[in-house]
Amino acid sequence: FDYGNSETDDHSDGAGTMEAIYFGDAHWQGNSGAGSGPWVGADLECGMYYGGGNETKVNNKSQPLPYPFVSLYLRGGTDGMALKGGDATNGPLMTMYDGPRPDCAIAGTCQRHGNHTYQPMSKRGAIILATGGDNSNGAMGKFYEGVMATGVTTDTTDAAVQANIVAVGYRNLVIEH
């Protein structure tokens, strides 16, 4: 399930041409977080990642988010990325990853659709929800709110947004017949 920046032509333009939050338990080319997921990840085209740098394939700091309502966060900076996630009904965001983008030598998929890398990025500017940049549509889920910001937010801002989300009081309603 993706939400974020993508290609404008519904085709994969290569690694680093999209930057979208991914939520799920996919093991793209063997990539994994801890446990069995679901995890917050980054779909950067030609790969979905739960970490980067030396943690491109396996990031054991990326913990499963088995909550009915989750908050997910992808911060794409000029020199790396951060992934955060948490229970949207209670508590703070947890930083699952903060460091360099995926290493193409470890990922092994960066050469698909041209000679591209994840650093620097080459984002295209379309906004997607529930589809991949190549218009793949295998996602399932419910989406309630999203925000995209220009620039890079601070940890203080992220915490304030999470507190606001928790204050909304998301919950499953029991309907009695």
Side-chain angles (χ1 to χ4, degrees), residues 68-69 142-146 170 172:
F69 299 93
K142 294 180 177 99
F143 185 87
Y144 293 98
E145 298 182 58
Y170 286 110
N172 286 315

Side-chain angles (χ1 to χ4, degrees), residues 25-137:
D25 59 2
H27 295 274
W28 176 263
Q29 300 293 316
N31 298 345
S32 178
S36 59
W39 310 281
V40 59
D43 188 339
L44 305 176
E45 199 60 278
C46 296
M48 293 184 295
Y49 301 95
Y50 308 109
N54 291 331
E55 296 164 310
T56 294
K57 282 287 188 189
V58 178
N59 176 10
N60 287 313
K61 290 180 276 191
S62 182
Q63 296 298 307
L65 297 168
Y67 311 110
F69 299 93
V70 294
S71 298
L72 308 171
Y73 183 83
L74 165 61
R75 176 191 298 156
T78 57
D79 60 351
M81 66 179 194
L83 292 165
K84 298 180 182 184
D87 183 344
T89 68
N90 185 34
L93 289 170
M94 298 173 286
T95 299
M96 306 292 187
Y97 180 77
D98 191 355
R101 293 185 186 280
D103 182 323
C104 284
I106 296 171
T109 60
C110 295
Q111 304 313 314
R112 293 180 182 194
H113 313 286
N115 188 18
H116 300 278
T117 66
Y118 293 118
Q119 189 68 36
M121 294 291 284
S122 181
K123 295 181 254 186
R124 302 298 198 242
I127 298 173
I128 58 166
L129 174 61
T131 64
D134 59 1
N135 208 26
S136 56
N137 62 356

